[in-house]
Amino acid sequence: MSAQAPYIGRSVERKEDYRFITGSGTYTDDIVLPHQAYACFLRSPHAHAAIRAIDTAAASAAPGVLAVYTARDLAGIGGLPCGWLIHSIDGSPMKEPKHPVLAEGKVRHVGDPLALVVAESAREAKAAAALIEVDYDVLPPVVDTASAASSAVAVHAEAPDNVCFTWGIGDGAAVDAAFSGAAHVTRFSFANNRLIPNAIEPRAANAQYSPASDSYTLYVTSQNPHVARLLMAAFVLGIPEHKLRVVAPDVGGGFGSKIYVYPEETALVWASRRVGRPIKWTAERSESFLSDAHGRDHVTTAELALDADGKFLALRVDTTANMGAYLSTFAPCIPTILHATLLAGQYATPHIHCKVRAVFTNTAPVDAYRGAGRPEATYLLERIVELAARELGLDPVELRRRNFIRAFPYATPVGLTYDTGDYEATLERALELADVRGFAARRRASEQRGLRRGIGYACYIEACGIAPSNIAGRLGARAGLFEAAELRVHPTGKVTVFTGSHSHGQGHETTFAQVVADRLGIALEDVEIEHGDTGKVLFGMGTYGSRSLAVGGSAIVKAADKIVAKGRKIAAHLLEAGEEDVQFSQGAFRVAGTDRVKTFAEVALAAYVPHHYPLETLEPGLNENAFYDPANFTFPAGTYVCEVEVDPQTGRTRIERFTACDDFGNVVNPMIVEGQVHGGLAQGIGQALLESCHYNEDGQLLTGSFVDYAMPRADDLPDFIVETVRGTPCTHNPLGAKGCGEAGAIGSPPAVINAIVDALAPLGVRDVQMPATPYRLWQTLQAARR
Amino acid sequence: MSQPIPLSVNGKAVTVEADPDTLLVTFLREHLRLTGTHVGCDTASCGACTVLIGGRAAKSCNVLLGQVSGEAITTIEGITPADGSLHPMQAAFKACHGLQCGFCTPGMIMSAIDLLTHHAHATREEVRAGLEGNLCRCTGYHNIVSAVMRAAQAMQAAGGGS
Ligand code: FES
Ligand code: FES
């Protein structure tokens, strides 16, 4: 075994790429099972209506139809559970109305499924669904986030004022006191625009029942198949958990939208047994728009109190968050635990209070979307800091510097303790990379061409590595948030790693292999990563919240260390040395101070051919698993700088430069990390400039296709300048990793808007709401001119 | 309504008995089980289904089988050389991390091949414009553009064209 350079820190090409670039990946819709049947869901065309009657006779008699089901058939099946319980300020639990698998009595959003048709082909299922006659009593809908709580109409009888909960965090009295002594107060009201995640692979599922084993297999586009199995088995369908296998094969992006347990796959599992055939459903994109969980959708007022030196004294936030028609799996924790706890940002603001009102509306459920609460917090904070700087005539960079947290660990007034960070370092490097010094000259050059140039900053922080289970439990989580891993060392010394962290673009099959190869001193080719199948992987909480390396990777390290510990025992026996004298490095067990050595592969072979082996004290085999529960969140942070050019005649914005400088702690594969930042930036810039989900007052989704919902395309975006500083490693996980998946989407929206406002401030513009489309900018400029 | 339709797919001549109203993408995925061509939308907006028809990129979700009678179709499965190596565009996507979840990738690669076939010296800006019919939600496009630039060099070094 030759000594090899460590894999960690190297941009090795991805192991998983071959199958994707050759078209040989296996996504859910690629799977066709023997005797495959197909499903179509009839969806509500109304935002809010009582169902008087459903007549399925014609559909049932249509060609190819195998079965038609409605809520009546599903009687006895539970509603889809919510994974978080939030309590209101008055101590009462959140309103948790049932989320039925198929609509019961009422439909509550356009796209709400109310019948399932199973047929020989997808085409026949769809044709038959059109024959179902539903007698609706159409009701006025509740659509608008801000006014939902004062609507005369109730989405759910359980919540007559449409309020799910009113939650608060922080010391309100201390905040009030600080405001009364403030030299300056900056106020900011805004809407954080509702977004549609739109992974390019639509959601899909294929469910099969096997009478031979009385068990079910579900192939589904999921970020967390074990969670799907647990919720579906234990809370909805009453199937014994060990009789349900959930497989998430190749999944074409998730961004949060594939975390949740949705009605469609649940109905399919239930129906697969009744029909006696495997049933497949693949969403058409129009269905994805209507039925995937959406993101963001806050209406917020914030106030920042400052002293005469520009030091932040206190922050007061009041936000209303739209939950949509039903509580999706994680929904209540997004505007609370993931949003309000982030409001300190990178700043030593001594007092913060945040009130969050969550409301039901007749729109699709809203849940975590890339960043999940943290983009909303960061947007608020980084816009209000910029506004304050402008009002006080201070340089926005200088104002941030004055308020940076500089001593760690730092306990914020909103419940988190940052273990480590160096905000000055990422800020300094970002200013350099963005050539901020040259900005004034570039601005002059733009002005000579009749264009307005602006520069905008955002210094973000996020809490990743979700989450210490005990803390999460106190905050309302109804599940643990650890991660699990198993390392199976084969007799030849090759290793298969089973991880609960599903990969749907993140590159786990490479990054985790790099970690294991280094830890065991073996070649990268000798490590295979398996994920996404509850039949193979012992357990897993899944992939979201930038947790995979920090939590899932740590579980893998823990299991690898157990392998080494057992290997040392075996090697000591083989080498006839004391265990304490055997050292492991570079893939070999050595007796210290001698040339006696056993390679990792020799030790593995001995474990499976235990002829010369301490059988009385040690089991044969080399296979270990580990559960890792993090001690704290991790806190990636960085500075983003955006430079824009705006044409005041047309309102069109061009991003001229975008610089991202991040501290993700230790980095395993820089190429993959940069790719994650790029993708996040695209989604964040999309939110800032292009994307917005709109329902009209009837609750009809106006942005229901890629023709109406502006997704960022290649020519909408600039090249990115991305750098990861040699950062401050996380202090409490073995890899020192913090997480990088969401940073781009968190830090970029305020950087873009700050830049646009900077460009247009000389024309009298104080704020621009997202998305800053040409039309909106043009309107804003017209208003400012008046 | 089935009728014989002659065409070639990935260099193999076939005559299929099929309804000419079948979408080309459905035919490729369901009849031929060439599942590398993906469906990402129902409005011809995403490009995940892009294949080459007579060497030109086309959205196979927007083409009927009857319209490609006699044509040569190339899908992602058909661009890998027989020796098992990678097409320069595939190799460049891998080298530049031009893919994450891989769902848009086959369509993106087919569009990029068409782009370079007709604009061998495209600039980064032109590559962006040329790929604006293909959505990727994962990569932010930066590395896709880099991959296409790299493939352009490799393809020129190999003698130009595709
Ligand atoms: S599937 Fe989207 S363009 Fe063809
Ligand atoms: S790599 Fe996932 S959509 Fe492009």
Side-chain angles (χ1 to χ4, degrees), chain A residues 200, chain B residues 100-102 104 136-139:
Chain A
I200 303 299
Chain B
Q100 292 184 20
C101 78
C104 73
C136 174
R137 194 56 151 168
C138 296
T139 64

Side-chain angles (χ1 to χ4, degrees), chain A residues 13-14 16-18 20-25 27 29-32 123 196-202 251-253 255 284-287 369-370 504-506 654 671-676 678-680 682-683 691 705-707 709 711-715 717-721, chain B residues 19 21-23 29-30 33 35-43 45-46 48 59 76-77 79-80 84-86 90-91 93-106 109 124-125 127-129 131-143 145 150:
Chain A
E13 288 185 22
R14 296 201 320 170
E16 48 267 76
D17 281 350
Y18 182 82
F20 299 129
I21 56 180
T22 54
S24 47
Y27 298 88
D29 187 54
D30 300 339
I31 296 167
V32 180
R123 196 190 272 211
I196 304 180
N198 276 323
I200 303 299
E201 180 204 25
V251 172
F255 317 112
E284 296 183 357
R285 178 58 56 182
S286 322
E287 284 186 282
Y369 165 56
R370 200 172 198 165
H504 34 279
Q506 295 85 350
R654 250 183 79 95
M671 175 188 80
I672 290 178
V673 166
E674 280 179 23
Q676 288 294 305
H678 292 162
Q683 290 177 3
E691 297 180 41
S705 79
F706 286 144
V707 177
Y709 183 91
M711 294 274 283
R713 292 176 180 273
D715 57 354
L717 296 172
D719 283 343
F720 301 122
I721 302 164
Chain B
D19 182 346
D21 286 349
T22 309
L23 286 175
R29 288 183 55 80
E30 292 176 16
R33 298 291 296 140
T35 53
T37 302
H38 296 149
V39 177
C41 74
D42 46 10
T43 50
S45 306
C46 77
K59 290 175 171 170
I76 188 72
E77 291 91 346
I79 62 167
T80 315
S85 63
L86 294 173
Q90 292 172 311
F93 266 68
K94 187 169 192 287
C96 297
H97 189 30
L99 64 149
Q100 292 184 20
C101 78
F103 197 79
C104 73
T105 310
I109 286 177
R124 285 186 76 94
E125 197 102 325
V127 169
R128 286 185 180 276
L131 294 180
E132 74 80 52
N134 291 71
L135 285 175
C136 174
R137 194 56 151 168
C138 296
T139 64
Y141 305 102
H142 181 110
N143 288 346
V145 178
R150 183 187 174 109

